Amino acid sequence: MTCTANNSKFTREILDLLTITGNLHIVIMSEKQGMRALILVGGYGTRLRPLTLSRPKPLVEFANKPILLHQIEALVKAGVTKVILAVSYRAEQMEEELSQEARKLGISVIFSHETEPLGTAGPLALASDIIKQSSEPFFVLNSDIICEFPFKELADYHRVHGKEGTIVVTKVKEPSKYGVVVYDEKGCVERFVEKPQEFISNKINAGLYILNPSVLNRIELKPTSIEKEVFPGMAGDGELYAFELEGFWMDVGQPKDFLTGMCLYLKSLRQKAADLLYNGPGTVGNVLVDPTAKIGTGCQIGPDVTIGPGVVVEDGVCIKRCTILRNTVIKSHSWLENCIIGWRCVVGRWVRLEGITVLGEDVIVKDEIYINGGQVLPNKSIAASVPEPQIIM
Amino acid sequence: MLKAVILIGGPQKGIVYLYLQEFTALGTAGGLYHFRDQIRFGNPDAFFVMNGDVCADFPLGELYEFHKLKGSDALVTIMSTEATRQQSLNYGCLVTDKATQAVTHYVEKPSSYVSTLINCGIYVFSPEVFQAIGEAFNLKQQEYYRNGNGSKEAGYIQLEQEVIAPLAGTGKIFTFQVTNWWSQLKTAGSAIYANRHYLELYRTKHPEKLCSVTGSGDAKQDSHIIPDVYIHPTATIHPTAVLGPNVSIGKDVVVGPGVRIRESIVLGNAVIEDHSLVLHSIIGRNSRIGRWTRVEGTPSDPDPNKPFAKMENPPLFNNDGRLNPSITILGCYVSVPSETILLNSIVLPNKELSRSFKNEIIL
């Protein structure tokens, strides 16, 4: 045990060093001593189209970093050395990019391919050989979740109560839209209630878990829902505990929530690492700008804007509550609100984009165009205004 | 009540304007007849009559020369132009003798197709026309006293139906057919179309009235101009603003940095703030548009692919009771806040908008 503790302290130090030096290439640690995590990547990410038509969803940058890397980096900080990605399709681009990131982080990434959709529990059975190599508990994550990822605290809590599993729960305003988790004052889960009509609890399953390998005995290799078919049984046996999440939580799997999640993430950055936020001239509120992006004069950027690497924002542009992805150009006098602008787009002068407009990769919007709630497929050139929400093919 | 505004000819400087007001609505010829003594004062050889709602490149000199050529029998010459078969039904239609240009048949707004040659509402009359109008007047009087009090005044005479139509086929009425630009101005939507043509006329006839494209050090001149653009000399245009084509800027208007205006009319004392866009719209006097705001209408120009097509004047509302998309019109003293969009809307005067509007009439 002492050895593990020392090792994880050492790991943290190395990772701190890694954060500072960025590209430092380190291969460290014997994998046996680290923890493992399984991320349920799943399908193609159709809800995040048209972005996912050019890039697998886990690689779509959320706050200038692929969604999956937010999770992997947090896992690494908590001592995870082996990440299993449960995917239902082969994405060579993703495998290659993530393998590179894994090398940088000094961890190993394993792709576990489902030949048929296995739900949220089946992939665990599929990867059971890897998981069972160690008796250590392992993390399970839904891939679209963004929060402050308190994996270290979660693991500590799990070890203290000593039961088979812990699920992370988060507080929501309107629990009737979700399945809620009912648990006692110690955190022991009693039951789950799907879309309760009367208020029972405002805590919902946050899609993050830590489980002992013994849980695999409860899962068969067939399409299974971990929430509906595995957890209720564990709760019945008194083997499931709830861990209350601090701070924000968002499922960023669709454009509207992606933007809401971005606002929450930037707000959290303001509190935790304000120096990472941009405060150049014309900034309003929380804005994240990659150092390689260029912003012209007389702009009003923010609140709640993320600007990616190589982006050029010309003079006199107003951007609010948007994510602008890599190498896009926003020309002068344009006004954008509630948009996700894909990679390598060109938005013309005096353009107005609003109403959860999403531009796919390499979209050109001509001067003086208005788009309201348009989902524009990659490589399109828009020469006529789209005043009502629609998909532009 | 109709106001007859009659222009009495003479050297340009010495034009005398007489504003003659009918005591009650007298129809298009009743007013002429009522004021016949003022019109005939000074014994003119002829006089022009124009409908107040027509815009055109008026070839009045040629029209008058043509009228003179037709000799002393000619009482009326109507300026006419070609329309599409379908649109001709909305106008007065003429049938002519191709050799003499005499009008052989005239129907006002026929219900079935008569001719594609339409009345432009621009005429030359010989003073003797008053005899013909007098006959129509007398007929009316007799009818009036025979039938008792009708709904209309005894002196109510419609020029087209009661004077011109009976004259057709008598050899006393002729038409001068033109291909010059001509349009009615019945709705605000036609104003932008008419403005474009007037600016075009300025370009050929009074280029000094238009904004030049080349810079001369003067901030106004150096702004980006896409012809044709008219800017009142008292207006202030920021050098980074881009204006045109078809833009008219009124007296004391202020256009801020990075503003874009196209196909629009901005009336006196209006202010357009930084980075805003104005398309296919009329901005009323003393109105104010905030920053990064988009004011946009839908053009309703005549179909450019149909020869002789005229402006359509669609009803304000369609069959579903929805507003037909048209240009955006702001009344006077309207304020539009920053970062909003105003699309295909009509805003009555003195409104202070607080949000975006689309396809609405803001009362």
mmCIF file of all heavy atoms in Angstrom, chain B residues 161-203:
data_model
loop_
_atom_site.group_PDB
_atom_site.id
_atom_site.type_symbol
_atom_site.label_atom_id
_atom_site.label_comp_id
_atom_site.label_asym_id
_atom_site.label_seq_id
_atom_site.Cartn_x
_atom_site.Cartn_y
_atom_site.Cartn_z
ATOM 1 N N GLN B 161 -63.067 57.004 -67.261
ATOM 2 C CA GLN B 161 -64.314 56.368 -67.709
ATOM 3 C C GLN B 161 -65.251 57.328 -68.423
ATOM 4 O O GLN B 161 -65.942 56.960 -69.363
ATOM 5 C CB GLN B 161 -65.055 55.745 -66.510
ATOM 6 C CG GLN B 161 -64.399 54.501 -65.954
ATOM 7 C CD GLN B 161 -63.416 54.818 -64.826
ATOM 8 O OE1 GLN B 161 -62.825 55.909 -64.800
ATOM 9 N NE2 GLN B 161 -63.252 53.864 -63.925
ATOM 10 N N GLU B 162 -65.316 58.602 -67.973
ATOM 11 C CA GLU B 162 -66.355 59.497 -68.460
ATOM 12 C C GLU B 162 -65.864 60.486 -69.500
ATOM 13 O O GLU B 162 -66.670 61.129 -70.173
ATOM 14 C CB GLU B 162 -67.002 60.231 -67.271
ATOM 15 C CG GLU B 162 -67.742 59.260 -66.348
ATOM 16 C CD GLU B 162 -68.268 59.944 -65.100
ATOM 17 O OE1 GLU B 162 -69.185 60.746 -65.232
ATOM 18 O OE2 GLU B 162 -67.717 59.671 -64.002
ATOM 19 N N VAL B 163 -64.560 60.653 -69.628
ATOM 20 C CA VAL B 163 -64.047 61.587 -70.633
ATOM 21 C C VAL B 163 -63.244 60.843 -71.695
ATOM 22 O O VAL B 163 -63.535 60.909 -72.885
ATOM 23 C CB VAL B 163 -63.194 62.699 -69.975
ATOM 24 C CG1 VAL B 163 -62.672 63.663 -71.031
ATOM 25 C CG2 VAL B 163 -64.001 63.428 -68.915
ATOM 26 N N ILE B 164 -62.239 60.085 -71.243
ATOM 27 C CA ILE B 164 -61.325 59.459 -72.202
ATOM 28 C C ILE B 164 -62.009 58.325 -72.975
ATOM 29 O O ILE B 164 -61.938 58.277 -74.205
ATOM 30 C CB ILE B 164 -60.053 58.982 -71.478
ATOM 31 C CG1 ILE B 164 -59.255 60.236 -71.097
ATOM 32 C CG2 ILE B 164 -59.215 58.065 -72.360
ATOM 33 C CD1 ILE B 164 -58.065 59.999 -70.242
ATOM 34 N N ALA B 165 -62.686 57.446 -72.251
ATOM 35 C CA ALA B 165 -63.325 56.317 -72.947
ATOM 36 C C ALA B 165 -64.300 56.791 -74.027
ATOM 37 O O ALA B 165 -64.246 56.292 -75.172
ATOM 38 C CB ALA B 165 -63.991 55.397 -71.924
ATOM 39 N N PRO B 166 -65.187 57.780 -73.752
ATOM 40 C CA PRO B 166 -66.078 58.248 -74.828
ATOM 41 C C PRO B 166 -65.323 58.903 -75.987
ATOM 42 O O PRO B 166 -65.788 58.850 -77.133
ATOM 43 C CB PRO B 166 -66.984 59.274 -74.128
ATOM 44 C CG PRO B 166 -66.902 58.963 -72.689
ATOM 45 C CD PRO B 166 -65.529 58.416 -72.467
ATOM 46 N N LEU B 167 -64.165 59.517 -75.695
ATOM 47 C CA LEU B 167 -63.403 60.174 -76.770
ATOM 48 C C LEU B 167 -62.714 59.160 -77.693
ATOM 49 O O LEU B 167 -62.386 59.483 -78.835
ATOM 50 C CB LEU B 167 -62.348 61.124 -76.183
ATOM 51 C CG LEU B 167 -62.827 62.508 -75.700
ATOM 52 C CD1 LEU B 167 -61.682 63.248 -75.031
ATOM 53 C CD2 LEU B 167 -63.390 63.341 -76.847
ATOM 54 N N ALA B 168 -62.475 57.966 -77.167
ATOM 55 C CA ALA B 168 -61.788 56.943 -77.970
ATOM 56 C C ALA B 168 -62.598 56.660 -79.232
ATOM 57 O O ALA B 168 -63.820 56.547 -79.185
ATOM 58 C CB ALA B 168 -61.618 55.676 -77.154
ATOM 59 N N GLY B 169 -61.917 56.585 -80.352
ATOM 60 C CA GLY B 169 -62.590 56.303 -81.622
ATOM 61 C C GLY B 169 -63.115 57.535 -82.328
ATOM 62 O O GLY B 169 -63.637 57.445 -83.444
ATOM 63 N N THR B 170 -62.973 58.726 -81.693
ATOM 64 C CA THR B 170 -63.472 59.949 -82.330
ATOM 65 C C THR B 170 -62.386 60.655 -83.126
ATOM 66 O O THR B 170 -62.644 61.666 -83.778
ATOM 67 C CB THR B 170 -63.989 60.942 -81.274
ATOM 68 O OG1 THR B 170 -62.894 61.330 -80.440
ATOM 69 C CG2 THR B 170 -65.091 60.323 -80.422
ATOM 70 N N GLY B 171 -61.125 60.168 -83.021
ATOM 71 C CA GLY B 171 -60.029 60.818 -83.725
ATOM 72 C C GLY B 171 -59.504 62.040 -82.993
ATOM 73 O O GLY B 171 -58.665 62.780 -83.511
ATOM 74 N N LYS B 172 -59.961 62.263 -81.760
ATOM 75 C CA LYS B 172 -59.512 63.438 -80.997
ATOM 76 C C LYS B 172 -58.546 63.072 -79.871
ATOM 77 O O LYS B 172 -58.087 63.937 -79.138
ATOM 78 C CB LYS B 172 -60.736 64.142 -80.386
ATOM 79 C CG LYS B 172 -61.639 64.795 -81.423
ATOM 80 C CD LYS B 172 -62.869 65.372 -80.767
ATOM 81 C CE LYS B 172 -63.814 65.919 -81.824
ATOM 82 N NZ LYS B 172 -65.131 66.234 -81.252
ATOM 83 N N ILE B 173 -58.266 61.782 -79.752
ATOM 84 C CA ILE B 173 -57.418 61.330 -78.648
ATOM 85 C C ILE B 173 -56.311 60.427 -79.196
ATOM 86 O O ILE B 173 -56.554 59.553 -80.025
ATOM 87 C CB ILE B 173 -58.269 60.664 -77.541
ATOM 88 C CG1 ILE B 173 -57.399 60.231 -76.360
ATOM 89 C CG2 ILE B 173 -59.069 59.480 -78.068
ATOM 90 C CD1 ILE B 173 -58.201 59.944 -75.111
ATOM 91 N N PHE B 174 -55.102 60.703 -78.776
ATOM 92 C CA PHE B 174 -53.937 60.008 -79.313
ATOM 93 C C PHE B 174 -53.105 59.454 -78.163
ATOM 94 O O PHE B 174 -53.309 59.837 -77.001
ATOM 95 C CB PHE B 174 -53.104 60.977 -80.151
ATOM 96 C CG PHE B 174 -53.828 61.442 -81.383
ATOM 97 C CD1 PHE B 174 -54.644 62.568 -81.339
ATOM 98 C CD2 PHE B 174 -53.742 60.727 -82.582
ATOM 99 C CE1 PHE B 174 -55.353 62.978 -82.465
ATOM 100 C CE2 PHE B 174 -54.441 61.138 -83.708
ATOM 101 C CZ PHE B 174 -55.250 62.267 -83.649
ATOM 102 N N THR B 175 -52.188 58.593 -78.526
ATOM 103 C CA THR B 175 -51.276 58.121 -77.483
ATOM 104 C C THR B 175 -49.839 58.222 -77.948
ATOM 105 O O THR B 175 -49.520 58.023 -79.113
ATOM 106 C CB THR B 175 -51.609 56.687 -77.028
ATOM 107 O OG1 THR B 175 -50.790 56.388 -75.906
ATOM 108 C CG2 THR B 175 -51.347 55.662 -78.114
ATOM 109 N N PHE B 176 -49.013 58.575 -77.003
ATOM 110 C CA PHE B 176 -47.578 58.653 -77.240
ATOM 111 C C PHE B 176 -46.966 57.512 -76.438
ATOM 112 O O PHE B 176 -46.984 57.526 -75.193
ATOM 113 C CB PHE B 176 -47.065 60.022 -76.764
ATOM 114 C CG PHE B 176 -45.586 60.211 -76.915
ATOM 115 C CD1 PHE B 176 -44.982 60.226 -78.170
ATOM 116 C CD2 PHE B 176 -44.779 60.375 -75.789
ATOM 117 C CE1 PHE B 176 -43.610 60.417 -78.286
ATOM 118 C CE2 PHE B 176 -43.408 60.555 -75.918
ATOM 119 C CZ PHE B 176 -42.822 60.588 -77.176
ATOM 120 N N GLN B 177 -46.506 56.514 -77.177
ATOM 121 C CA GLN B 177 -46.008 55.320 -76.496
ATOM 122 C C GLN B 177 -44.539 55.479 -76.144
ATOM 123 O O GLN B 177 -43.732 55.855 -76.996
ATOM 124 C CB GLN B 177 -46.206 54.097 -77.380
ATOM 125 C CG GLN B 177 -45.956 52.804 -76.623
ATOM 126 C CD GLN B 177 -46.130 51.573 -77.500
ATOM 127 O OE1 GLN B 177 -46.860 51.623 -78.500
ATOM 128 N NE2 GLN B 177 -45.457 50.508 -77.126
ATOM 129 N N VAL B 178 -44.200 55.199 -74.888
ATOM 130 C CA VAL B 178 -42.802 55.354 -74.456
ATOM 131 C C VAL B 178 -42.259 54.021 -73.936
ATOM 132 O O VAL B 178 -43.020 53.147 -73.530
ATOM 133 C CB VAL B 178 -42.666 56.420 -73.339
ATOM 134 C CG1 VAL B 178 -43.139 57.776 -73.830
ATOM 135 C CG2 VAL B 178 -43.410 55.995 -72.084
ATOM 136 N N THR B 179 -40.958 53.917 -73.982
ATOM 137 C CA THR B 179 -40.295 52.747 -73.393
ATOM 138 C C THR B 179 -39.451 53.180 -72.191
ATOM 139 O O THR B 179 -38.748 52.374 -71.595
ATOM 140 C CB THR B 179 -39.387 52.054 -74.423
ATOM 141 O OG1 THR B 179 -38.527 53.045 -74.978
ATOM 142 C CG2 THR B 179 -40.193 51.401 -75.524
ATOM 143 N N ASN B 180 -39.529 54.475 -71.856
ATOM 144 C CA ASN B 180 -38.793 54.979 -70.683
ATOM 145 C C ASN B 180 -39.290 54.260 -69.439
ATOM 146 O O ASN B 180 -40.398 53.759 -69.409
ATOM 147 C CB ASN B 180 -39.066 56.469 -70.451
ATOM 148 C CG ASN B 180 -38.756 57.311 -71.663
ATOM 149 O OD1 ASN B 180 -38.765 56.811 -72.775
ATOM 150 N ND2 ASN B 180 -38.508 58.590 -71.440
ATOM 151 N N TRP B 181 -38.451 54.328 -68.407
ATOM 152 C CA TRP B 181 -38.863 53.729 -67.154
ATOM 153 C C TRP B 181 -40.089 54.457 -66.611
ATOM 154 O O TRP B 181 -40.170 55.677 -66.614
ATOM 155 C CB TRP B 181 -37.734 53.782 -66.131
ATOM 156 C CG TRP B 181 -38.231 53.399 -64.794
ATOM 157 C CD1 TRP B 181 -38.599 52.160 -64.398
ATOM 158 C CD2 TRP B 181 -38.487 54.270 -63.690
ATOM 159 N NE1 TRP B 181 -39.055 52.195 -63.112
ATOM 160 C CE2 TRP B 181 -38.996 53.485 -62.662
ATOM 161 C CE3 TRP B 181 -38.312 55.643 -63.487
ATOM 162 C CZ2 TRP B 181 -39.346 54.017 -61.432
ATOM 163 C CZ3 TRP B 181 -38.661 56.175 -62.268
ATOM 164 C CH2 TRP B 181 -39.173 55.366 -61.243
ATOM 165 N N TRP B 182 -41.034 53.677 -66.121
ATOM 166 C CA TRP B 182 -42.264 54.233 -65.551
ATOM 167 C C TRP B 182 -42.778 53.277 -64.478
ATOM 168 O O TRP B 182 -42.729 52.071 -64.640
ATOM 169 C CB TRP B 182 -43.324 54.379 -66.666
ATOM 170 C CG TRP B 182 -44.660 54.803 -66.150
ATOM 171 C CD1 TRP B 182 -45.104 56.084 -65.973
ATOM 172 C CD2 TRP B 182 -45.740 53.955 -65.723
ATOM 173 N NE1 TRP B 182 -46.374 56.099 -65.475
ATOM 174 C CE2 TRP B 182 -46.792 54.803 -65.298
ATOM 175 C CE3 TRP B 182 -45.920 52.584 -65.650
ATOM 176 C CZ2 TRP B 182 -48.007 54.313 -64.813
ATOM 177 C CZ3 TRP B 182 -47.135 52.083 -65.156
ATOM 178 C CH2 TRP B 182 -48.161 52.958 -64.756
ATOM 179 N N SER B 183 -43.263 53.809 -63.382
ATOM 180 C CA SER B 183 -43.837 52.957 -62.343
ATOM 181 C C SER B 183 -44.843 53.732 -61.512
ATOM 182 O O SER B 183 -44.709 54.945 -61.344
ATOM 183 C CB SER B 183 -42.744 52.432 -61.415
ATOM 184 O OG SER B 183 -43.313 51.679 -60.369
ATOM 185 N N GLN B 184 -45.846 53.027 -61.052
ATOM 186 C CA GLN B 184 -46.718 53.617 -60.052
ATOM 187 C C GLN B 184 -46.036 53.510 -58.698
ATOM 188 O O GLN B 184 -45.203 52.638 -58.492
ATOM 189 C CB GLN B 184 -48.029 52.829 -59.986
ATOM 190 C CG GLN B 184 -49.047 53.290 -60.984
ATOM 191 C CD GLN B 184 -50.366 52.576 -60.748
ATOM 192 O OE1 GLN B 184 -50.384 51.383 -60.492
ATOM 193 N NE2 GLN B 184 -51.451 53.306 -60.847
ATOM 194 N N LEU B 185 -46.406 54.398 -57.777
ATOM 195 C CA LEU B 185 -45.866 54.324 -56.429
ATOM 196 C C LEU B 185 -47.053 54.214 -55.489
ATOM 197 O O LEU B 185 -47.440 55.165 -54.843
ATOM 198 C CB LEU B 185 -45.047 55.585 -56.136
ATOM 199 C CG LEU B 185 -44.131 55.491 -54.937
ATOM 200 C CD1 LEU B 185 -42.861 54.774 -55.302
ATOM 201 C CD2 LEU B 185 -43.806 56.858 -54.392
ATOM 202 N N LYS B 186 -47.623 53.011 -55.443
ATOM 203 C CA LYS B 186 -48.856 52.841 -54.670
ATOM 204 C C LYS B 186 -48.577 52.385 -53.253
ATOM 205 O O LYS B 186 -49.357 52.620 -52.355
ATOM 206 C CB LYS B 186 -49.765 51.814 -55.363
ATOM 207 C CG LYS B 186 -50.556 52.391 -56.523
ATOM 208 C CD LYS B 186 -51.877 51.654 -56.651
ATOM 209 C CE LYS B 186 -52.693 52.128 -57.822
ATOM 210 N NZ LYS B 186 -53.299 53.447 -57.587
ATOM 211 N N THR B 187 -47.474 51.663 -53.047
ATOM 212 C CA THR B 187 -47.149 51.177 -51.700
ATOM 213 C C THR B 187 -45.732 51.625 -51.346
ATOM 214 O O THR B 187 -44.934 51.948 -52.239
ATOM 215 C CB THR B 187 -47.165 49.641 -51.648
ATOM 216 O OG1 THR B 187 -46.183 49.173 -52.583
ATOM 217 C CG2 THR B 187 -48.510 49.067 -52.017
ATOM 218 N N ALA B 188 -45.460 51.591 -50.040
ATOM 219 C CA ALA B 188 -44.114 51.967 -49.597
ATOM 220 C C ALA B 188 -43.083 51.041 -50.226
ATOM 221 O O ALA B 188 -41.955 51.442 -50.500
ATOM 222 C CB ALA B 188 -44.044 51.912 -48.083
ATOM 223 N N GLY B 189 -43.501 49.805 -50.480
ATOM 224 C CA GLY B 189 -42.589 48.833 -51.070
ATOM 225 C C GLY B 189 -42.069 49.263 -52.440
ATOM 226 O O GLY B 189 -40.954 48.894 -52.837
ATOM 227 N N SER B 190 -42.855 50.054 -53.143
ATOM 228 C CA SER B 190 -42.414 50.507 -54.466
ATOM 229 C C SER B 190 -41.358 51.607 -54.362
ATOM 230 O O SER B 190 -40.686 51.920 -55.336
ATOM 231 C CB SER B 190 -43.583 51.072 -55.276
ATOM 232 O OG SER B 190 -44.777 50.428 -54.990
ATOM 233 N N ALA B 191 -41.255 52.215 -53.178
ATOM 234 C CA ALA B 191 -40.387 53.389 -53.040
ATOM 235 C C ALA B 191 -38.923 53.048 -53.313
ATOM 236 O O ALA B 191 -38.199 53.838 -53.925
ATOM 237 C CB ALA B 191 -40.553 53.992 -51.654
ATOM 238 N N ILE B 192 -38.500 51.856 -52.861
ATOM 239 C CA ILE B 192 -37.085 51.507 -53.039
ATOM 240 C C ILE B 192 -36.795 51.228 -54.506
ATOM 241 O O ILE B 192 -35.756 51.625 -55.034
ATOM 242 C CB ILE B 192 -36.723 50.330 -52.114
ATOM 243 C CG1 ILE B 192 -36.684 50.849 -50.677
ATOM 244 C CG2 ILE B 192 -35.397 49.708 -52.494
ATOM 245 C CD1 ILE B 192 -36.561 49.811 -49.626
ATOM 246 N N TYR B 193 -37.757 50.592 -55.151
ATOM 247 C CA TYR B 193 -37.638 50.338 -56.593
ATOM 248 C C TYR B 193 -37.600 51.671 -57.357
ATOM 249 O O TYR B 193 -36.738 51.876 -58.212
ATOM 250 C CB TYR B 193 -38.834 49.486 -57.020
ATOM 251 C CG TYR B 193 -39.048 49.374 -58.506
ATOM 252 C CD1 TYR B 193 -38.161 48.646 -59.304
ATOM 253 C CD2 TYR B 193 -40.145 49.985 -59.114
ATOM 254 C CE1 TYR B 193 -38.373 48.536 -60.664
ATOM 255 C CE2 TYR B 193 -40.367 49.880 -60.471
ATOM 256 C CZ TYR B 193 -39.473 49.151 -61.248
ATOM 257 O OH TYR B 193 -39.679 49.044 -62.580
ATOM 258 N N ALA B 194 -38.513 52.577 -57.000
ATOM 259 C CA ALA B 194 -38.548 53.878 -57.668
ATOM 260 C C ALA B 194 -37.266 54.657 -57.395
ATOM 261 O O ALA B 194 -36.697 55.295 -58.292
ATOM 262 C CB ALA B 194 -39.761 54.672 -57.184
ATOM 263 N N ASN B 195 -36.781 54.552 -56.156
ATOM 264 C CA ASN B 195 -35.552 55.255 -55.787
ATOM 265 C C ASN B 195 -34.381 54.815 -56.670
ATOM 266 O O ASN B 195 -33.587 55.630 -57.122
ATOM 267 C CB ASN B 195 -35.240 54.984 -54.318
ATOM 268 C CG ASN B 195 -34.218 55.951 -53.750
ATOM 269 O OD1 ASN B 195 -34.446 57.151 -53.728
ATOM 270 N ND2 ASN B 195 -33.086 55.424 -53.320
ATOM 271 N N ARG B 196 -34.326 53.507 -56.929
ATOM 272 C CA ARG B 196 -33.241 52.986 -57.753
ATOM 273 C C ARG B 196 -33.276 53.622 -59.140
ATOM 274 O O ARG B 196 -32.255 54.025 -59.686
ATOM 275 C CB ARG B 196 -33.320 51.465 -57.858
ATOM 276 C CG ARG B 196 -32.200 50.900 -58.723
ATOM 277 C CD ARG B 196 -32.255 49.391 -58.910
ATOM 278 N NE ARG B 196 -32.685 48.712 -57.706
ATOM 279 C CZ ARG B 196 -33.714 47.883 -57.670
ATOM 280 N NH1 ARG B 196 -34.393 47.610 -58.772
ATOM 281 N NH2 ARG B 196 -34.059 47.310 -56.563
ATOM 282 N N HIS B 197 -34.483 53.741 -59.676
ATOM 283 C CA HIS B 197 -34.588 54.297 -61.021
ATOM 284 C C HIS B 197 -34.323 55.795 -61.045
ATOM 285 O O HIS B 197 -33.708 56.295 -61.983
ATOM 286 C CB HIS B 197 -35.953 53.953 -61.615
ATOM 287 C CG HIS B 197 -36.000 52.533 -62.051
ATOM 288 N ND1 HIS B 197 -35.481 52.125 -63.257
ATOM 289 C CD2 HIS B 197 -36.437 51.426 -61.422
ATOM 290 C CE1 HIS B 197 -35.631 50.818 -63.356
ATOM 291 N NE2 HIS B 197 -36.206 50.367 -62.258
ATOM 292 N N TYR B 198 -34.740 56.489 -60.005
ATOM 293 C CA TYR B 198 -34.432 57.927 -59.960
ATOM 294 C C TYR B 198 -32.933 58.162 -59.838
ATOM 295 O O TYR B 198 -32.392 59.064 -60.470
ATOM 296 C CB TYR B 198 -35.199 58.606 -58.821
ATOM 297 C CG TYR B 198 -36.592 59.031 -59.242
ATOM 298 C CD1 TYR B 198 -37.696 58.726 -58.476
ATOM 299 C CD2 TYR B 198 -36.793 59.742 -60.431
ATOM 300 C CE1 TYR B 198 -38.969 59.106 -58.870
ATOM 301 C CE2 TYR B 198 -38.065 60.116 -60.832
ATOM 302 C CZ TYR B 198 -39.152 59.792 -60.056
ATOM 303 O OH TYR B 198 -40.395 60.166 -60.456
ATOM 304 N N LEU B 199 -32.262 57.309 -59.018
ATOM 305 C CA LEU B 199 -30.808 57.457 -58.901
ATOM 306 C C LEU B 199 -30.138 57.193 -60.248
ATOM 307 O O LEU B 199 -29.171 57.856 -60.620
ATOM 308 C CB LEU B 199 -30.252 56.521 -57.828
ATOM 309 C CG LEU B 199 -30.655 56.827 -56.388
ATOM 310 C CD1 LEU B 199 -30.047 55.812 -55.429
ATOM 311 C CD2 LEU B 199 -30.237 58.234 -55.978
ATOM 312 N N GLU B 200 -30.684 56.229 -60.970
ATOM 313 C CA GLU B 200 -30.158 55.913 -62.295
ATOM 314 C C GLU B 200 -30.333 57.112 -63.236
ATOM 315 O O GLU B 200 -29.449 57.426 -64.033
ATOM 316 C CB GLU B 200 -30.940 54.713 -62.827
ATOM 317 C CG GLU B 200 -30.158 53.753 -63.669
ATOM 318 C CD GLU B 200 -31.045 52.554 -63.984
ATOM 319 O OE1 GLU B 200 -31.132 51.667 -63.119
ATOM 320 O OE2 GLU B 200 -31.657 52.525 -65.067
ATOM 321 N N LEU B 201 -31.481 57.769 -63.119
ATOM 322 C CA LEU B 201 -31.726 58.964 -63.936
ATOM 323 C C LEU B 201 -30.753 60.079 -63.560
ATOM 324 O O LEU B 201 -30.238 60.779 -64.424
ATOM 325 C CB LEU B 201 -33.164 59.456 -63.750
ATOM 326 C CG LEU B 201 -34.262 58.573 -64.333
ATOM 327 C CD1 LEU B 201 -35.632 59.184 -64.076
ATOM 328 C CD2 LEU B 201 -34.061 58.387 -65.828
ATOM 329 N N TYR B 202 -30.504 60.212 -62.252
ATOM 330 C CA TYR B 202 -29.503 61.193 -61.805
ATOM 331 C C TYR B 202 -28.158 60.892 -62.470
ATOM 332 O O TYR B 202 -27.458 61.783 -62.889
ATOM 333 C CB TYR B 202 -29.306 61.106 -60.292
ATOM 334 C CG TYR B 202 -30.289 61.911 -59.461
ATOM 335 C CD1 TYR B 202 -31.296 62.668 -60.043
ATOM 336 C CD2 TYR B 202 -30.176 61.920 -58.073
ATOM 337 C CE1 TYR B 202 -32.187 63.397 -59.265
ATOM 338 C CE2 TYR B 202 -31.065 62.645 -57.285
ATOM 339 C CZ TYR B 202 -32.069 63.384 -57.891
ATOM 340 O OH TYR B 202 -32.928 64.095 -57.116
ATOM 341 N N ARG B 203 -27.828 59.605 -62.532
ATOM 342 C CA ARG B 203 -26.515 59.240 -63.062
ATOM 343 C C ARG B 203 -26.359 59.736 -64.498
ATOM 344 O O ARG B 203 -25.312 60.246 -64.880
ATOM 345 C CB ARG B 203 -26.312 57.721 -62.995
ATOM 346 C CG ARG B 203 -25.006 57.275 -63.606
ATOM 347 C CD ARG B 203 -24.458 55.979 -63.040
ATOM 348 N NE ARG B 203 -25.442 55.019 -62.612
ATOM 349 C CZ ARG B 203 -25.874 54.004 -63.374
ATOM 350 N NH1 ARG B 203 -25.420 53.837 -64.598
ATOM 351 N NH2 ARG B 203 -26.760 53.163 -62.883
#
